[in-house]
Amino acid sequence: MSTGPRPARPSVRPARAGDPEEIDRIYDICLRTANSGRDATGLVAEPRLLGDIFAGPYLACSPDLAWVLAPGEVEGAPSRPVGYIVAVADTAAFERRLDREWWPRVRARTADRPVRPGTPDARLRSFIDDPPRTPAEITGRYPAHFHVDLLPEAQGDGNGRRLVTTVLDALRDRGVPGVHLGVGAANANALGFYDHVGFRMLDDRPHTKILGMRLDPRS
């Protein structure tokens, strides 16, 4: 018995970084994949904090290195993304810019909202109040970094590889010599994926593994 035509493969397109609806959708994807690739809804009291850390800064400060994975148009309107990737070419400069332009706004919005010590929200707030710095020994050879998230229905079929390839090609076009990223130690699927596409361990931390790839084969 025929099951009808197979749904069209989602396409990769530039993110609409200035569109509030698209930003909200990307924030939602971030939340729904934040628990080692699984849904973190209900685990945090302030769900937008995850997007404020792992998506919003890139859309605001590096919009030309942001793409989404989305089906085709629906009734003439853009469809909702099912995945995204955001990146920066110069991590050190990006972190300095966030200190000036991004974190003060997030702190001002959350300052009057107390959090219980030891909760996931407390860990997120500590990230915002005292943002970590990427070590110079990493940014020196691997200055770029990215974050990528796909909803469960978009995982597989090469979608993650297409997003990552899009970013790597864009960074190579800019002459960036290397790229790194952090992966939760418990996220075995992601660690396996990045090993398969050519990333190598740079810093084997207990909770977060830092992986890297050189983009210029001559260096």
Side-chain angles (χ1 to χ4, degrees):
M1 183 175 66
S2 173
T3 58
R6 184 179 181 182
R9 193 183 194 193
S11 60
V12 176
R13 64 163 172 80
R16 297 182 173 92
D19 182 343
E21 289 188 7
E22 183 124 307
I23 293 172
D24 285 348
R25 178 60 171 174
I26 290 172
Y27 269 48
D28 182 62
I29 295 171
C30 184
L31 172 66
R32 292 169 60 192
T33 56
N35 183 20
S36 295
R38 299 183 298 275
D39 195 349
T41 301
L43 299 181
V44 291
E46 292 190 63
R48 285 191 69 84
L49 287 184
L50 284 161
D52 282 338
I53 294 170
F54 299 113
Y58 301 84
L59 298 172
C61 300
S62 186
D64 54 333
L65 287 174
W67 289 265
V68 298
L69 183 75
E73 291 188 350
V74 178
E75 296 181 353
S79 58
R80 300 178 72 193
V82 293
Y84 70 89
I85 192 165
V86 289
V88 296
D90 185 335
T91 297
F94 176 70
E95 291 174 347
R96 292 192 296 268
R97 182 175 178 184
L98 296 193
D99 283 341
R100 298 190 305 269
E101 302 177 15
W102 184 260
W103 300 128
R105 296 202 305 267
V106 179
R107 292 180 194 126
R109 197 185 72 240
T110 59
D112 60 348
R113 303 176 190 174
V115 295
R116 290 188 296 111
T119 63
D121 287 83
R123 289 193 290 273
L124 293 175
R125 287 283 287 273
S126 68
F127 195 111
I128 292 166
D129 293 339
D130 186 19
R133 290 289 179 273
T134 307
E137 57 266 29
I138 291 178
T139 59
R141 284 180 53 82
Y142 306 89
H145 79 271
F146 65 83
H147 290 288
V148 57
D149 288 306
L150 294 94
L151 293 175
E153 61 264 31
Q155 295 171 13
D157 200 27
N159 288 326
R161 180 184 285 270
R162 288 196 292 142
L163 284 171
V164 170
T165 298
T166 298
V167 160
L168 297 182
D169 287 346
L171 293 173
R172 287 190 182 96
D173 287 345
R174 293 178 178 217
V176 177
V179 58
H180 72 275
L181 75 155
V183 180
N187 197 340
N189 288 338
L191 290 169
F193 167 79
Y194 288 117
D195 178 72
H196 185 68
V197 299
F199 282 79
R200 297 294 176 259
M201 188 74 69
L202 301 180
D203 192 347
D204 191 359
R205 304 178 183 182
H207 301 293
T208 302
K209 311 300 182 183
I210 307 300
L211 312 179
M213 175 189 285
R214 295 293 292 170
L215 299 178
D216 184 348
R218 298 168 299 176
S219 61

